[in-house]
Structure formats: structure tokens, C-alpha cells
Amino acid sequence: MARKRKTDGRTPRRTFWFRTLIAIAACGAAVGGLAAYRTFSDDTTERPVTMEEASRLALSRLNLYQASPVAVTLTATEGGGVVVRVRAVVDYRTHRAVGSYQVTGAAGASRPPGATGPAAGQLDHGLIVWDNGGLGLAPAPKGDKSPPWQQAEHIPRSGWSARSYTTDPLDAGLQLLIGLGADRPDNPLLLAQSGARWLERDRIDGRSYDRFAGPRAQGATPSAGPDGGRSPLTYWVDGDGGLRRVTMRMSGLGTPTTVDFSGRDSRAKLPEAPWATG
């Protein structure tokens, strides 16, 4: 959305702390190549990333950018038993995203700001759009079974409840997600020097991924705190630098916000109506 209304003075526009954490863009040559990848694939102990691993981690942001529009699923636990799930497509070339959201939770629990529809404890759903500046929510057109990006084109800008981001887990996840893609390289060496760590190897849907802790926040002290000063962001990256999953831990919540990437959605065309100024 071009401009957002602030709601209840909840959270002014701020310098987003996670921009430092996700400053991992495309890379130079992968030192060690496939041999290094295989050599370290059987590790079982957490350790600093190799240069080959740092290069793949860095390359993951460019891969997202080039694959746009990318299908994603974001799951955020809001506390009090409320869970928000967003299924969307993200275009990293325009830094815009559109999709649908569903809210489930215990009766009497509070819902994310701006949500409409039934009370918590029942299924709440609608359309959502967001960009670097904020987000907008709108009721889903009744009886319309088309993809959310098509539904959103029929809702004018005035039909969206627009607002700036808050500190809620959903908003933090949306901000993180819209900023993950990058169109230019960064230095993998700086990524490695900032505290990125290899954690272990996992399998998701039958494929193998390296799980990495991202770079530490600026000023964070290694070995400090319950996580040893580790970044709250974790990345699952394959052998080609493809990003499959990202999780973000938030203070006071036991369940991290999770983003799953499903690859390019070649059918999707992001709508103009939610951002139109005319």
C-alpha cells in the first residue's frame, strides 16, 4: 500500500532490526564446491559456516528474487491460542505480496489488529496485501473461488483496511518475508564473520537441506543469553542455494513464526487495485 494509517499509536515506523539479520545477498564463487558440501553434510555438531555454505546462504536471496512471484505460507502464533496462517504470492521485484489469511484460536482470545469476521475461536478469513510500508486487510468476496491475487484485483483501494506494521508476530513475519529477496550480491565473507552457523541437516518433503542460524544482530555478544547470542532467524537451504524455510523466534513466544517457500507460481499476477491512487 502506498501510504498507511497508523492505528492506535501502536508502533511508529521504525528501523527494522531484522534488516541486519537478513543482510545476505548473492555471492561470488563457492569455495570448495560440491566436494566441500558433501564433506560437511555428515556433521552432527553445530559450527561456524564454511565459505561454501556462506555462499549458498547468500545466494538464497537472489534465488528468491529471480523466482518471483514466489508462493509462500506464513504461520504466526499470536499468543493466547491464536494462530494466523497466510498463503500468498510475493513479488520481490516490486516488493508487493497478496494472499489470503485464516485465524484460528481459543474462544475469547484476541485477534490480530484489523482482522474482521467472527470472534476468535471460530474460523476468520479474508484477503491480505502488504509491502515495505504496511499491510491491508479486506473481506474475501463471497462465493469467489478464484486465487486471492485475482480476487484482490476487484477490491478498490478504499475497500482495504490499511495500517502500518505493529510489533505483533504476524506483522514481524510479514516484514521479514517481504525483505528476504535481493537483486544484488553481498559479501559471503561478511555473512560468515557476522556469526552465521551451520546447525544440522534436515529433510523436508523428501529433500535434504542445511539448517543455518543467520548472522547475529549488530552488537550481539557471542555466548550471551540462552541461545548463546545466536540469531533469532533460522534458514533451510538446499545444495543449490534454494531457500525452503525460514523461522523467526520472538521473545515470550514458544512457537516461532515460520515461512515456507513453495517455489515460483507462474500463474500469479499481482493486482494493481490495492495500490492504485486514482
Side-chain angles (χ1 to χ4, degrees):
M1 314 292 283
R3 292 183 180 271
K4 302 292 179 294
R5 300 193 301 271
K6 295 181 180 178
T7 57
D8 304 324
R10 290 179 63 91
T11 305
R13 193 70 54 80
R14 52 193 168 87
T15 301
F16 305 137
W17 58 269
F18 53 78
R19 285 182 179 172
T20 300
L21 299 177
I22 63 173
I24 53 170
C27 63
V31 177
L34 182 59
Y37 176 68
R38 289 174 174 169
T39 299
F40 287 101
S41 65
D42 295 328
D43 285 358
T44 58
T45 304
E46 177 183 332
R47 54 169 172 74
V49 295
T50 66
M51 279 302 300
E52 186 274 337
E53 291 164 347
S55 294
R56 282 192 287 122
L57 185 56
L59 184 61
S60 65
R61 297 188 70 204
L62 179 62
N63 285 339
L64 279 181
Y65 179 89
Q66 293 178 334
S68 296
V70 180
V72 301
T73 300
L74 182 150
T75 305
T77 301
E78 293 283 336
V82 174
V83 176
V84 185
R85 181 167 286 106
V86 175
R87 291 182 172 88
V89 289
V90 181
D91 189 340
Y92 287 105
R93 290 179 170 83
T94 61
H95 298 286
R96 292 177 176 178
V98 59
S100 62
Y101 72 90
Q102 291 185 330
V103 183
T104 58
S110 60
R111 292 176 295 157
T116 61
Q122 304 177 36
L123 182 65
D124 183 21
H125 68 282
L127 300 179
I128 182 169
V129 294
W130 73 99
D131 57 20
N132 286 325
L135 64 99
L137 302 176
K142 292 183 179 180
D144 191 340
K145 301 300 183 181
S146 62
W149 50 270
Q150 288 184 350
Q151 297 180 35
E153 188 62 64
H154 301 296
I155 300 175
R157 183 175 178 181
S158 59
W160 296 89
S161 175
R163 61 175 174 81
S164 300
Y165 290 116
T166 72
T167 57
D168 291 328
L170 171 64
D171 290 23
L174 295 174
Q175 285 181 281
L176 168 69
L177 178 53
I178 202 68
L180 278 173
D183 65 347
R184 61 188 63 190
D186 203 0
N187 190 338
L189 180 59
L190 296 181
L191 172 62
Q193 292 175 341
S194 297
R197 298 183 65 80
W198 182 91
L199 302 178
E200 63 179 349
R201 300 211 71 198
D202 288 336
R203 293 188 70 83
I204 302 175
D205 296 333
R207 292 196 61 182
S208 294
Y209 296 87
D210 286 296
R211 180 154 57 95
F212 299 105
R216 292 186 300 268
Q218 187 174 4
T221 302
S223 301
D227 294 318
R230 182 191 299 168
S231 165
L233 299 181
T234 304
Y235 303 82
W236 280 254
V237 180
D238 66 19
D240 298 319
L243 187 60
R244 177 62 176 80
R245 176 177 293 168
V246 178
T247 63
M248 176 172 60
R249 301 189 313 277
M250 298 192 69
S251 177
L253 292 178
T255 304
T257 296
T258 300
V259 177
D260 281 299
F261 296 91
S262 305
R264 176 177 173 83
D265 186 343
S266 58
R267 306 170 305 155
K269 180 180 179 181
L270 268 71
E272 293 293 334
W275 287 274
T277 58

